[in-house]
Amino acid sequence: LFINMCGWLRHPFFVDFRLNQTKKMGYFLKFNRQKKQKKKPMSKLYKSIFNVNGCSVVKQEQTDTTVTITVRLTKGNASRCGCCGRKGKLYDNGREQRVWRTLDLGTKMGFIRMDTYRVKCKKCGVKTVKVPWASHRSGFTDAFEQQVAWAVCSMSKKAVAKQLRIAWNTVGEIADRVWDRLDTRPIKAGCIFRRIGIDETSYKKGHKYITVVVDHDRRCVIWVHEGYGKEVLDLFMRELSEEQRKGVELVTCDGAKWIRSSIEEFLPNAERCVDSFHVVQWATEALDKVRVEAWKEARKENRNQKRGRGRPTKDSVPKDRTAEGIKNSRYALGKAPENLNESQQRKIELIASRYPRLYRAYQLKEELRIILKMGYDDARENLDRWLWRASHSRIGSVKDLYAKIKRNYDGILNTIRLGVSNARIEATNNKIKLLIRTAYGFRNMNNMLSLIMLSCSYVDVKIAYEWESESRESSSKAA
């Protein structure tokens, strides 16, 4: 019977029947395969748009102003500690859903929703489960925070808040979190700093300052802290390892005593370089004190001149305008002789004829400015001669300048010999003041310090799409 049945199956009728049934079955399988593929692309689409991994999209909702997706963590990303990321045991089920704000989709705000729960970690204790798209205790995704950090480096906080539709005070908190996430300080990494610059700058009225440390080789800020003085600078010195302290070869600064004492205590191999700009500034301030004294003397002489009643006659002596000329000569005395215009040259000639003491102080200032531009050997010889002249000038403010330059004698010569300046840190201070002015001040000191480090440090804050492309490349390489 079996042999007969096999023979019947070979009959042409049965062969055609089996081929038709196979084709029908193929169409059925193909139809079902297309039917199943309709759900997968929608889930992948929303995951790629919202840039979320390690989860599956369960539901999506839309309104006139928002687009929200509900997700569920995959098995590999579930039950991880929100702080350290380690696997933990389920502690309790979530009582409510948690929502994260993500980048806008056109004109609509994007949100990610998920049922959260807590896990028990051996290291951190009971913590909320970790999600791959956001930091712990943050209501915003990492991509959204990256966008805020990039925008706040060049815009005011008010403009960023209006553009991204968040609260004004939230911008500073996001800047803090982004800086904590990107903070890979060279100090902690053990990098050697060969040449650094130290200076303080004001950030608010009332003598409120911050101390800034710049790496000249990397051309960026490596440390910033509220306040100034030896106690504040010692905090930076103690963060350095013994090897890092020995590796510092050069420190540019002004003539502050607290910087000098801290360098001598912690940096044994460093040469202190006093910037030439500050030296000329000291000389200009001393010259201005002499100018004020000469102006007061000239004003007293004018007050003692008595004039009769009525209009002055043609033969009368005109009123002496020397006091006014000295009072308005501050800008002319501060300029180099080759840059003076005709009216300023006349003021200098008047001072030379009437007040030789002030003119002698002006000559000493110009000689010092020229000495700082000479070579090392010539500068050293001429600076010694200048110090002798300043000490015998019989001018009080010039003698004070002599004592200050004598105290920083080695630092000034080191600057001339090595050809360095403090221009980079002065430019950084100008940028810091611009950031503070753009933000119209800061109420929170941590927000200000974080924004300074994001804008002026070694960290390259990227815009959201650049950050997302880099994260995808790194994840693909890791895979």
Side-chain angles (χ1 to χ4, degrees), residues 426-438:
E426 294 296 337
T428 303
N429 291 341
N430 190 22
K431 188 174 181 179
I432 290 171
K433 291 181 183 295
L434 180 61
L435 285 172
I436 296 170
R437 180 66 187 89
T438 303

Side-chain angles (χ1 to χ4, degrees), residues 335-341 345 362 366 369-370 373:
K335 291 178 68 175
E338 60 271 14
N339 297 329
L340 296 174
N341 54 32
Q345 288 177 358
Y362 172 73
E366 287 301 317
R369 183 181 63 84
I370 295 171
K373 295 181 179 180

